[in-house]
């Protein structure tokens, strides 16, 4: 039967055929996005004689439409456009992790999240407390934006130092109550299209881990291989965050000669990120397989801006599992001392 991802694509195509602004068109659109977050396959509900109205954004009318699709053996599974291609659904993520429970049990860290120091919705201590309550982490990285991204309230060097001092106090508070969690001083630093950082190297050198990320000219259709190579040769950061810059149904992201990009990353000792936010899933499974074969390290981060988004780490873990990525090259599965040592060696090279 059709998967939730295929149902989502059929719903998206039905939206295009519906009358603009109609109630049915709006219902189709809501259900198309919700299908990616249904916790179980719609087909399994049908097989169990359970109503599809158990699924979010599915009312009686839509339940009938989807049931018809599921029972129609002549329907060809639709191929989504690039804007919607290669995204895992929550049901796929859940099934993948259920087959490999040790991947969650042994996960040590989430290495991208945001607070009110930039554009996050919650203050530092609330983010730390939520991460500690949700997962049995050894460490997390607070990666608020840098000054070049003004639209996201990016920090300058003075604010970064103030945040670092506050993180130091948080770590003291955690240690005082015998928590195993350690908070890393980090940043999601803005990279120009030329691969240059927007922060002084001296300020970055005081951090535990530096993420670099492109935030401009992300809709270019031309090959961007040279752009990536220049950035990866910049010695001021350790991890290239959300490398393609794609966003589900909004932005396809950049294209490049990926084997060359991954070869350069391996040569320069850089890690590439799996951005685990469901709308990003960047790198996707296909690119992760290429990165795996090139010997690249990866980092997994939720890119959480809301507390509930800290749960999204499962999407990143599932992508790593499905790409058969070796855990010995995933920062999130290494001891804290090993990650700090790895970052220090990259900075000193």
């Amino acid at each position: 039967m059709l998967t939730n991802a295929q149902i989502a694509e059929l719903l998206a195509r039905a939206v295009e055929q519906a009358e603009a602004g109609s109630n049915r068109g709006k219902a189709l659109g809501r259900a198309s996005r919700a299908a990616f977050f249904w916790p179980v396959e719609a087909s399994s509900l049908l097989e169990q004689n359970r109503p599809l109205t158990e699924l979010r954004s599915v009312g009686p009318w839509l339940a009938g439409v989807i049931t018809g699709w599921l029972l129609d053996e002549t329907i060809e599974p639709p191929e989504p456009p690039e804007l919607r291609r290669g995204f895992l659904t929550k049901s796929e993520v859940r099934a993948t992790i259920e087959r490999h429970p040790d991947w969650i049990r042994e996960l040590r860290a989430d290495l991208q999240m945001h607070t009110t120091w930039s554009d996050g919705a919650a203050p530092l201590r609330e983010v730390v407390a939520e991460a500690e309550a949700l997962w049995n982490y050894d460490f997390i990285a607070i990666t608020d934006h840098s000054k070049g991204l003004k639209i996201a309230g990016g920090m300058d060097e003075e604010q970064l130092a103030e945040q670092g001092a506050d993180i130091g106090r948080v770590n003291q508070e955690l240690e005082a109550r015998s928590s195993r969690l350690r908070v890393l001083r980090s940043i999601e630093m803005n990279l120009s299209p030329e691969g240059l950082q927007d922060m002084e190297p001296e300020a970055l050198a005081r951090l535990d881990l530096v993420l670099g990320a492109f935030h401009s000219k992300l809709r270019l259709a031309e090959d961007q291989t040279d752009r990536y190579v220049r950035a990866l040769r910049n010695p001021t950061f350790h991890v290239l965050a959300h490398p393609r810059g794609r966003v589900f149904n909004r932005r396809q992201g950049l294209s490049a000669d990926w084997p060359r990009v991954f070869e350069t990353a391996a040569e320069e000792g850089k890690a590439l990120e799996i951005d685990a936010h469901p709308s990003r899933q960047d790198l996707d499974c296909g690119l992760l397989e290429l990165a795996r074969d090139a010997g690249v390290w990866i980092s997994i981060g939720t890119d959480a801006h809301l507390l509930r988004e800290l749960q999204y780490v499962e999407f990143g873990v599932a992508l790593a599992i499905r790409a058969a990525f070796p855990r010995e090259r995933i920062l999130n599965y290494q001891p804290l001392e090993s990650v700090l040592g790895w970052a220090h060696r990259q900075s000193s090279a």
Side-chain angles (χ1 to χ4, degrees):
M1 286 189 179
L2 296 169
T3 66
N4 287 353
Q6 292 166 340
I7 293 170
E9 184 58 28
L10 287 171
L11 289 165
R13 296 185 182 193
V15 172
E16 298 168 0
Q17 299 170 4
E19 182 181 349
S22 67
N23 289 335
R24 286 195 169 184
K26 292 177 182 177
L28 289 163
R30 287 191 298 270
S32 176
R33 191 66 185 109
F36 277 88
F37 295 94
W38 293 343
V40 297
E41 294 290 331
S43 59
S44 70
L45 291 185
L46 193 64
E47 290 169 348
Q48 298 170 48
N49 292 316
R50 292 164 58 190
L52 297 190
T53 51
E54 290 183 22
L55 302 172
R56 194 174 80 188
S57 299
V58 176
W61 172 69
L62 265 178
V65 171
I66 296 170
T67 297
W69 289 338
L70 288 169
L71 296 177
D72 187 348
E73 297 180 357
T74 66
I75 285 185
E76 290 289 335
E79 183 66 26
E82 188 65 32
L83 278 172
R84 299 193 290 266
R85 189 175 304 158
F87 290 86
L88 298 183
T89 65
K90 185 173 182 178
S91 58
E92 290 172 325
V93 167
R94 176 171 288 185
T96 299
I97 289 175
E98 284 178 353
R99 291 193 296 269
H100 305 274
D102 56 310
W103 278 71
I104 285 293
R105 187 170 58 248
E106 297 176 19
L107 184 69
R108 296 175 183 265
D110 178 348
L111 296 177
Q112 191 190 163
M113 60 187 68
H114 299 266
T115 75
T116 49
W117 280 94
S118 65
D119 61 343
L124 173 63
R125 282 165 177 77
E126 288 186 21
V127 173
V128 172
E130 185 71 8
E132 186 179 27
L134 279 173
W135 307 105
N136 192 34
Y137 289 143
D138 291 343
F139 56 103
I140 59 174
I142 301 298
T143 57
D144 283 301
H145 290 286
S146 60
K147 64 184 180 183
L149 203 63
K150 294 181 180 179
I151 193 172
M155 302 177 294
D156 60 22
E157 286 82 356
E158 182 178 350
Q159 292 169 315
L160 180 62
E162 292 174 3
Q163 186 195 54
D166 200 23
I167 289 174
R169 290 188 289 272
V170 168
N171 280 323
Q172 290 174 351
E173 294 162 11
L174 290 168
E175 186 176 0
R177 57 181 178 80
S178 300
S179 171
R180 65 187 291 176
L181 185 66
R182 164 84 178 274
V183 184
L184 302 188
R185 297 165 299 162
S186 189
I187 193 170
E188 185 184 352
M189 180 182 67
N190 192 49
L191 294 172
S192 73
E194 294 72 37
L196 300 176
Q197 77 277 5
D198 65 343
M199 301 289 282
E200 293 297 328
E202 295 77 10
L204 299 172
R206 292 189 286 269
L207 301 179
D208 298 308
L209 190 71
V210 179
L211 278 60
F214 295 122
H215 292 103
S216 61
K217 296 187 178 180
L218 297 178
R219 298 181 185 275
L220 298 177
E222 301 84 0
D223 182 280
Q224 297 294 299
T225 304
D226 290 343
R227 174 180 182 174
Y228 283 103
V229 170
R230 288 194 300 269
L232 290 167
R233 289 176 177 161
N234 182 331
T236 62
F237 72 96
H238 308 110
V239 179
L240 183 63
H242 47 73
R244 290 174 63 189
R246 73 172 185 167
V247 179
F248 180 85
N249 209 31
R250 282 176 47 200
R251 191 170 64 219
Q252 183 171 323
L254 301 174
S255 60
D257 177 351
W258 293 111
R260 184 182 167 202
V261 170
F262 297 146
E263 180 183 1
T264 303
E267 290 173 352
E268 298 296 327
K270 292 283 196 295
L272 297 178
E273 182 189 57
I274 301 177
D275 188 311
H277 195 287
S279 293
R280 289 186 178 271
Q281 298 189 39
D282 181 10
L283 302 162
D284 62 17
C285 192
L287 289 182
L288 275 172
E289 291 173 352
L290 293 176
R292 176 199 66 200
D293 295 343
V296 174
W297 280 75
I298 62 168
S299 170
I300 301 173
T302 56
D303 201 356
H305 288 69
L306 303 171
L307 293 179
R308 67 173 182 270
E309 293 175 345
L310 290 166
Q311 301 176 45
Y312 292 159
V313 72
E314 292 179 326
F315 281 80
V317 170
L319 281 164
I321 294 170
R322 292 165 77 97
F325 211 98
R327 284 197 299 204
E328 57 266 26
R329 281 194 277 122
I330 304 177
L331 292 174
N332 308 64
Y333 288 92
Q334 310 311 310
L336 172 60
E337 295 75 15
S338 297
V339 173
L340 294 176
W342 173 87
H344 178 72
R345 288 191 297 274
Q346 308 314 316
S347 300
S348 304

